[in-house]
Amino acid sequence: MGQLLRWTAATAAPQVEVALTHENVKLIANALGTPPPDVLNEVHGAGRLVAALCGAAKHARAHRDAGVDIVIAQGTEGGGHTGDVGSMVLWPEVIDAVPDTPVLAAGGIGTGRQMAAALAMGAQGVWTGSLWLTVEEAETPPSQMESYLAAGSRDTVRSRAWTGKPARMLRNDWTEAWAAEDTPDPLGMPLQFMVTSDAVARGHRYSEQAKDVMFNPAGQIIGRLNEVRRVKDVIYDLVEECIDTSERLAQLMQDSGS
Amino acid sequence: MGQLLRWTAATAAPQVEVALTHENVKLIANALGTPPPDVLNEVHGAGRLVAALCGAAKHARAHRDAGVDIVIAQGTEGGGHTGDVGSMVLWPEVIDAVPDTPVLAAGGIGTGRQMAAALAMGAQGVWTGSLWLTVEEAETPPSQMESYLAAGSRDTVRSRAWTGKPARMLRNDWTEAWAAEDTPDPLGMPLQFMVTSDAVARGHRYSEQAKDVMFNPAGQIIGRLNEVRRVKDVIYDLVEECIDTSERLAQLMQDSGS
């Protein structure tokens, strides 16, 4: 959750500097909005690439015009800050909006079938998030892991209750309390996070006690993540199923044509 | 909009009877919930098939257990009554939940790319709705057509403002008024529709004057529907692009493997 504390220029700049001291950092991605010119210049100056997430075609064009190298189109299915247009509609819209820029598809991808669908629709690759919350290698605390493994695809909500901007997370007592009619509306960003940042940190530290009021960012694909797996097994299955899916589609087209 | 008035058993039954007198009616689809046993029996007795839409895996299982022949999995992108799980997550979830039942994919499909993606993911076919709102053959009144053609993918909202259940439609003065903090919340179904049905009928009749307060059900794919086209051209493009998409995916896999 540490990255949530770095939402000002003053605290973000040193992060970029530290990242660039590591030679294996080839790409820096901006999750919220178009990265500012100084960040773009610094990263490009170091010979690395910049990516930026978007939830609308106009954001994709703004990213491209600013000099972003890779656009990540994230549909509403995705976890964390996300827009309200579904991946099935958003991906082709963004791909067509910035035809000369590589687009990665995000939002709802947890299996090779979804990966194949994204590639078929013209994405250059896929970007996954929730998939890594439930791997053995994740830093997810045990009680949060229980929440993630138990959640279904309908157990998430887009809420401003933690950061002030709409983000997808597991629905729990915290999100319900902020959504209630007799409680205040969340503030905007960054004010709401000033209200909640302490709770984020403590929730992570005392996750057992805080289980029902924790910040559990996750996309709707969390419904398919029901066991703890190793990263290498997840990757292997993704690739295998992607290939199988491609072959099924080719076979289907051949059968239909004959 | 006539079908909106047929939401009771008393008014639905004669509709089914009339439909079955036409020999070219091969399929009757239930848009909201599992069709009741008497409807299923009547349609099956006449040698026709029954389909039913769903927005969650548990609804798909209920449909199958009731004897529905075809399940239509509609993601949140779709127009009209729709759930909140995106197509990218919902489709494979439903396909896996009812492995022996044919599943059609719905929600966000307007081009052959989306159709190919759905088939690749294991759908037996696709189900489209918004796509037919802007064809030359549609009964869409001129001023409503203007609204549909002008809308972007972010101009829809899931609202209970017309029927009492969440349905996706164009955002306009009507939906905004019902969403305002200082106005009453919509009633449930069927009560809300008793409040609004007159407005639906009059809006359609005086669509010029009612343009900003009309019921304009539409999915997010409405953003890509920007000109009036003939049905045959739409179908032709769907099929052509679906084939092209399949070939692109096969080529991509081949290139990656070499």
Side-chain angles (χ1 to χ4, degrees), chain A residues 202-223:
Chain A
R202 287 169 194 241
H204 233 240
R205 187 157 173 192
Y206 307 105
S207 65
E208 190 79 34
Q209 294 85 340
K211 194 176 178 200
D212 298 330
V213 290
M214 272 187 78
F215 180 33
N216 301 312
Q220 293 178 335
I221 196 66
I222 200 71

PDB file of all heavy atoms in Angstrom, chain A residues 202-223:
ATOM      1  N   ARG A 202      -2.780   1.079   9.025  1.00  0.00           N
ATOM      2  CA  ARG A 202      -3.108   0.241  10.186  1.00  0.00           C
ATOM      3  C   ARG A 202      -3.840  -1.027   9.767  1.00  0.00           C
ATOM      4  O   ARG A 202      -3.654  -2.084  10.373  1.00  0.00           O
ATOM      5  CB  ARG A 202      -3.973   1.020  11.186  1.00  0.00           C
ATOM      6  CG  ARG A 202      -3.150   2.064  11.914  1.00  0.00           C
ATOM      7  CD  ARG A 202      -4.036   3.004  12.702  1.00  0.00           C
ATOM      8  NE  ARG A 202      -3.272   4.160  13.103  1.00  0.00           N
ATOM      9  CZ  ARG A 202      -3.069   4.513  14.374  1.00  0.00           C
ATOM     10  NH1 ARG A 202      -3.587   3.813  15.349  1.00  0.00           N
ATOM     11  NH2 ARG A 202      -2.360   5.578  14.653  1.00  0.00           N
ATOM     12  N   GLY A 203      -4.702  -0.912   8.754  1.00  0.00           N
ATOM     13  CA  GLY A 203      -5.435  -2.081   8.272  1.00  0.00           C
ATOM     14  C   GLY A 203      -4.467  -3.148   7.795  1.00  0.00           C
ATOM     15  O   GLY A 203      -4.656  -4.338   8.036  1.00  0.00           O
ATOM     16  N   HIS A 204      -3.412  -2.706   7.109  1.00  0.00           N
ATOM     17  CA  HIS A 204      -2.432  -3.657   6.609  1.00  0.00           C
ATOM     18  C   HIS A 204      -1.645  -4.289   7.742  1.00  0.00           C
ATOM     19  O   HIS A 204      -1.329  -5.467   7.725  1.00  0.00           O
ATOM     20  CB  HIS A 204      -1.493  -2.935   5.631  1.00  0.00           C
ATOM     21  CG  HIS A 204      -1.410  -3.634   4.318  1.00  0.00           C
ATOM     22  ND1 HIS A 204      -0.251  -4.127   3.800  1.00  0.00           N
ATOM     23  CD2 HIS A 204      -2.390  -3.945   3.433  1.00  0.00           C
ATOM     24  CE1 HIS A 204      -0.496  -4.700   2.646  1.00  0.00           C
ATOM     25  NE2 HIS A 204      -1.773  -4.605   2.389  1.00  0.00           N
ATOM     26  N   ARG A 205      -1.374  -3.469   8.758  1.00  0.00           N
ATOM     27  CA  ARG A 205      -0.567  -3.939   9.886  1.00  0.00           C
ATOM     28  C   ARG A 205      -1.350  -4.888  10.795  1.00  0.00           C
ATOM     29  O   ARG A 205      -0.827  -5.892  11.259  1.00  0.00           O
ATOM     30  CB  ARG A 205      -0.108  -2.717  10.681  1.00  0.00           C
ATOM     31  CG  ARG A 205       0.873  -3.045  11.767  1.00  0.00           C
ATOM     32  CD  ARG A 205       1.687  -1.825  12.102  1.00  0.00           C
ATOM     33  NE  ARG A 205       2.531  -2.043  13.262  1.00  0.00           N
ATOM     34  CZ  ARG A 205       3.179  -1.084  13.904  1.00  0.00           C
ATOM     35  NH1 ARG A 205       3.080   0.166  13.468  1.00  0.00           N
ATOM     36  NH2 ARG A 205       3.928  -1.360  14.938  1.00  0.00           N
ATOM     37  N   TYR A 206      -2.623  -4.529  11.034  1.00  0.00           N
ATOM     38  CA  TYR A 206      -3.469  -5.351  11.911  1.00  0.00           C
ATOM     39  C   TYR A 206      -4.579  -5.971  11.070  1.00  0.00           C
ATOM     40  O   TYR A 206      -5.764  -5.773  11.335  1.00  0.00           O
ATOM     41  CB  TYR A 206      -4.053  -4.483  13.033  1.00  0.00           C
ATOM     42  CG  TYR A 206      -2.997  -3.713  13.797  1.00  0.00           C
ATOM     43  CD1 TYR A 206      -2.809  -2.351  13.616  1.00  0.00           C
ATOM     44  CD2 TYR A 206      -2.154  -4.391  14.700  1.00  0.00           C
ATOM     45  CE1 TYR A 206      -1.827  -1.653  14.311  1.00  0.00           C
ATOM     46  CE2 TYR A 206      -1.160  -3.704  15.390  1.00  0.00           C
ATOM     47  CZ  TYR A 206      -1.007  -2.332  15.192  1.00  0.00           C
ATOM     48  OH  TYR A 206      -0.035  -1.657  15.874  1.00  0.00           O
ATOM     49  N   SER A 207      -4.182  -6.704  10.057  1.00  0.00           N
ATOM     50  CA  SER A 207      -5.164  -7.135   9.062  1.00  0.00           C
ATOM     51  C   SER A 207      -6.183  -8.117   9.628  1.00  0.00           C
ATOM     52  O   SER A 207      -7.317  -8.176   9.158  1.00  0.00           O
ATOM     53  CB  SER A 207      -4.464  -7.736   7.847  1.00  0.00           C
ATOM     54  OG  SER A 207      -3.796  -8.920   8.199  1.00  0.00           O
ATOM     55  N   GLU A 208      -5.789  -8.854  10.643  1.00  0.00           N
ATOM     56  CA  GLU A 208      -6.723  -9.798  11.270  1.00  0.00           C
ATOM     57  C   GLU A 208      -7.921  -9.036  11.852  1.00  0.00           C
ATOM     58  O   GLU A 208      -9.075  -9.330  11.542  1.00  0.00           O
ATOM     59  CB  GLU A 208      -5.985 -10.539  12.397  1.00  0.00           C
ATOM     60  CG  GLU A 208      -6.732 -11.709  12.981  1.00  0.00           C
ATOM     61  CD  GLU A 208      -6.604 -12.924  12.084  1.00  0.00           C
ATOM     62  OE1 GLU A 208      -5.529 -13.088  11.448  1.00  0.00           O
ATOM     63  OE2 GLU A 208      -7.572 -13.688  12.029  1.00  0.00           O
ATOM     64  N   GLN A 209      -7.605  -8.033  12.680  1.00  0.00           N
ATOM     65  CA  GLN A 209      -8.659  -7.260  13.335  1.00  0.00           C
ATOM     66  C   GLN A 209      -9.416  -6.365  12.336  1.00  0.00           C
ATOM     67  O   GLN A 209     -10.591  -6.063  12.529  1.00  0.00           O
ATOM     68  CB  GLN A 209      -8.066  -6.357  14.431  1.00  0.00           C
ATOM     69  CG  GLN A 209      -7.453  -7.115  15.610  1.00  0.00           C
ATOM     70  CD  GLN A 209      -6.002  -7.529  15.364  1.00  0.00           C
ATOM     71  OE1 GLN A 209      -5.535  -7.600  14.223  1.00  0.00           O
ATOM     72  NE2 GLN A 209      -5.287  -7.816  16.446  1.00  0.00           N
ATOM     73  N   ALA A 210      -8.715  -5.939  11.278  1.00  0.00           N
ATOM     74  CA  ALA A 210      -9.299  -4.954  10.361  1.00  0.00           C
ATOM     75  C   ALA A 210      -9.964  -5.607   9.148  1.00  0.00           C
ATOM     76  O   ALA A 210     -10.418  -4.913   8.239  1.00  0.00           O
ATOM     77  CB  ALA A 210      -8.204  -3.991   9.887  1.00  0.00           C
ATOM     78  N   LYS A 211     -10.073  -6.934   9.179  1.00  0.00           N
ATOM     79  CA  LYS A 211     -10.508  -7.667   7.981  1.00  0.00           C
ATOM     80  C   LYS A 211     -11.722  -7.051   7.258  1.00  0.00           C
ATOM     81  O   LYS A 211     -11.723  -6.946   6.036  1.00  0.00           O
ATOM     82  CB  LYS A 211     -10.810  -9.125   8.356  1.00  0.00           C
ATOM     83  CG  LYS A 211     -10.939 -10.019   7.143  1.00  0.00           C
ATOM     84  CD  LYS A 211     -11.133 -11.475   7.520  1.00  0.00           C
ATOM     85  CE  LYS A 211     -11.302 -12.297   6.248  1.00  0.00           C
ATOM     86  NZ  LYS A 211     -11.935 -13.592   6.498  1.00  0.00           N
ATOM     87  N   ASP A 212     -12.740  -6.640   8.012  1.00  0.00           N
ATOM     88  CA  ASP A 212     -13.974  -6.173   7.374  1.00  0.00           C
ATOM     89  C   ASP A 212     -13.970  -4.695   6.999  1.00  0.00           C
ATOM     90  O   ASP A 212     -14.948  -4.190   6.452  1.00  0.00           O
ATOM     91  CB  ASP A 212     -15.169  -6.456   8.291  1.00  0.00           C
ATOM     92  CG  ASP A 212     -15.334  -7.949   8.536  1.00  0.00           C
ATOM     93  OD1 ASP A 212     -14.972  -8.734   7.643  1.00  0.00           O
ATOM     94  OD2 ASP A 212     -15.814  -8.317   9.629  1.00  0.00           O
ATOM     95  N   VAL A 213     -12.884  -4.006   7.350  1.00  0.00           N
ATOM     96  CA  VAL A 213     -12.832  -2.580   7.008  1.00  0.00           C
ATOM     97  C   VAL A 213     -11.542  -2.238   6.256  1.00  0.00           C
ATOM     98  O   VAL A 213     -11.154  -1.072   6.173  1.00  0.00           O
ATOM     99  CB  VAL A 213     -12.948  -1.683   8.274  1.00  0.00           C
ATOM    100  CG1 VAL A 213     -14.351  -1.764   8.858  1.00  0.00           C
ATOM    101  CG2 VAL A 213     -11.913  -2.074   9.328  1.00  0.00           C
ATOM    102  N   MET A 214     -10.891  -3.246   5.692  1.00  0.00           N
ATOM    103  CA  MET A 214      -9.633  -2.998   4.983  1.00  0.00           C
ATOM    104  C   MET A 214      -9.875  -2.477   3.574  1.00  0.00           C
ATOM    105  O   MET A 214     -10.932  -2.689   2.985  1.00  0.00           O
ATOM    106  CB  MET A 214      -8.816  -4.294   4.864  1.00  0.00           C
ATOM    107  CG  MET A 214      -7.905  -4.540   6.029  1.00  0.00           C
ATOM    108  SD  MET A 214      -6.841  -5.974   5.699  1.00  0.00           S
ATOM    109  CE  MET A 214      -5.606  -5.271   4.605  1.00  0.00           C
ATOM    110  N   PHE A 215      -8.845  -1.831   3.045  1.00  0.00           N
ATOM    111  CA  PHE A 215      -8.839  -1.438   1.633  1.00  0.00           C
ATOM    112  C   PHE A 215      -8.346  -2.643   0.842  1.00  0.00           C
ATOM    113  O   PHE A 215      -7.171  -3.003   0.936  1.00  0.00           O
ATOM    114  CB  PHE A 215      -7.899  -0.245   1.455  1.00  0.00           C
ATOM    115  CG  PHE A 215      -7.806   0.267   0.040  1.00  0.00           C
ATOM    116  CD1 PHE A 215      -8.890   0.218  -0.830  1.00  0.00           C
ATOM    117  CD2 PHE A 215      -6.614   0.818  -0.432  1.00  0.00           C
ATOM    118  CE1 PHE A 215      -8.800   0.711  -2.128  1.00  0.00           C
ATOM    119  CE2 PHE A 215      -6.509   1.314  -1.723  1.00  0.00           C
ATOM    120  CZ  PHE A 215      -7.608   1.254  -2.574  1.00  0.00           C
ATOM    121  N   ASN A 216      -9.250  -3.274   0.084  1.00  0.00           N
ATOM    122  CA  ASN A 216      -8.905  -4.461  -0.698  1.00  0.00           C
ATOM    123  C   ASN A 216      -9.110  -4.197  -2.186  1.00  0.00           C
ATOM    124  O   ASN A 216     -10.090  -4.647  -2.779  1.00  0.00           O
ATOM    125  CB  ASN A 216      -9.804  -5.649  -0.284  1.00  0.00           C
ATOM    126  CG  ASN A 216      -9.675  -6.010   1.182  1.00  0.00           C
ATOM    127  OD1 ASN A 216      -8.574  -6.140   1.701  1.00  0.00           O
ATOM    128  ND2 ASN A 216     -10.804  -6.180   1.853  1.00  0.00           N
ATOM    129  N   PRO A 217      -8.195  -3.436  -2.802  1.00  0.00           N
ATOM    130  CA  PRO A 217      -8.390  -3.148  -4.224  1.00  0.00           C
ATOM    131  C   PRO A 217      -8.358  -4.442  -5.026  1.00  0.00           C
ATOM    132  O   PRO A 217      -7.496  -5.292  -4.800  1.00  0.00           O
ATOM    133  CB  PRO A 217      -7.200  -2.242  -4.582  1.00  0.00           C
ATOM    134  CG  PRO A 217      -6.190  -2.449  -3.501  1.00  0.00           C
ATOM    135  CD  PRO A 217      -6.937  -2.881  -2.282  1.00  0.00           C
ATOM    136  N   ALA A 218      -9.292  -4.605  -5.944  1.00  0.00           N
ATOM    137  CA  ALA A 218      -9.355  -5.823  -6.764  1.00  0.00           C
ATOM    138  C   ALA A 218     -10.314  -5.610  -7.914  1.00  0.00           C
ATOM    139  O   ALA A 218     -11.300  -4.875  -7.785  1.00  0.00           O
ATOM    140  CB  ALA A 218      -9.826  -7.004  -5.926  1.00  0.00           C
ATOM    141  N   GLY A 219     -10.022  -6.258  -9.031  1.00  0.00           N
ATOM    142  CA  GLY A 219     -10.930  -6.240 -10.174  1.00  0.00           C
ATOM    143  C   GLY A 219     -11.935  -7.380 -10.070  1.00  0.00           C
ATOM    144  O   GLY A 219     -11.840  -8.247  -9.192  1.00  0.00           O
ATOM    145  N   GLN A 220     -12.891  -7.386 -11.005  1.00  0.00           N
ATOM    146  CA  GLN A 220     -13.954  -8.400 -10.953  1.00  0.00           C
ATOM    147  C   GLN A 220     -13.429  -9.813 -11.191  1.00  0.00           C
ATOM    148  O   GLN A 220     -14.071 -10.785 -10.801  1.00  0.00           O
ATOM    149  CB  GLN A 220     -15.048  -8.047 -11.966  1.00  0.00           C
ATOM    150  CG  GLN A 220     -15.793  -6.762 -11.595  1.00  0.00           C
ATOM    151  CD  GLN A 220     -16.854  -6.374 -12.615  1.00  0.00           C
ATOM    152  OE1 GLN A 220     -16.775  -6.736 -13.781  1.00  0.00           O
ATOM    153  NE2 GLN A 220     -17.839  -5.611 -12.160  1.00  0.00           N
ATOM    154  N   ILE A 221     -12.252  -9.930 -11.806  1.00  0.00           N
ATOM    155  CA  ILE A 221     -11.678 -11.258 -12.044  1.00  0.00           C
ATOM    156  C   ILE A 221     -11.308 -11.938 -10.727  1.00  0.00           C
ATOM    157  O   ILE A 221     -11.046 -13.155 -10.700  1.00  0.00           O
ATOM    158  CB  ILE A 221     -10.444 -11.155 -12.989  1.00  0.00           C
ATOM    159  CG1 ILE A 221     -10.092 -12.529 -13.561  1.00  0.00           C
ATOM    160  CG2 ILE A 221      -9.248 -10.544 -12.313  1.00  0.00           C
ATOM    161  CD1 ILE A 221     -11.135 -13.102 -14.482  1.00  0.00           C
ATOM    162  N   ILE A 222     -11.326 -11.199  -9.632  1.00  0.00           N
ATOM    163  CA  ILE A 222     -11.055 -11.792  -8.321  1.00  0.00           C
ATOM    164  C   ILE A 222     -11.970 -12.994  -8.066  1.00  0.00           C
ATOM    165  O   ILE A 222     -11.603 -13.924  -7.336  1.00  0.00           O
ATOM    166  CB  ILE A 222     -11.202 -10.726  -7.199  1.00  0.00           C
ATOM    167  CG1 ILE A 222     -10.475 -11.158  -5.939  1.00  0.00           C
ATOM    168  CG2 ILE A 222     -12.649 -10.387  -6.908  1.00  0.00           C
ATOM    169  CD1 ILE A 222      -8.984 -11.121  -6.026  1.00  0.00           C
ATOM    170  N   GLY A 223     -13.139 -12.999  -8.706  1.00  0.00           N
ATOM    171  CA  GLY A 223     -14.074 -14.112  -8.553  1.00  0.00           C
ATOM    172  C   GLY A 223     -13.520 -15.441  -9.035  1.00  0.00           C
ATOM    173  O   GLY A 223     -13.974 -16.505  -8.615  1.00  0.00           O
TER     174      GLY A 223
END
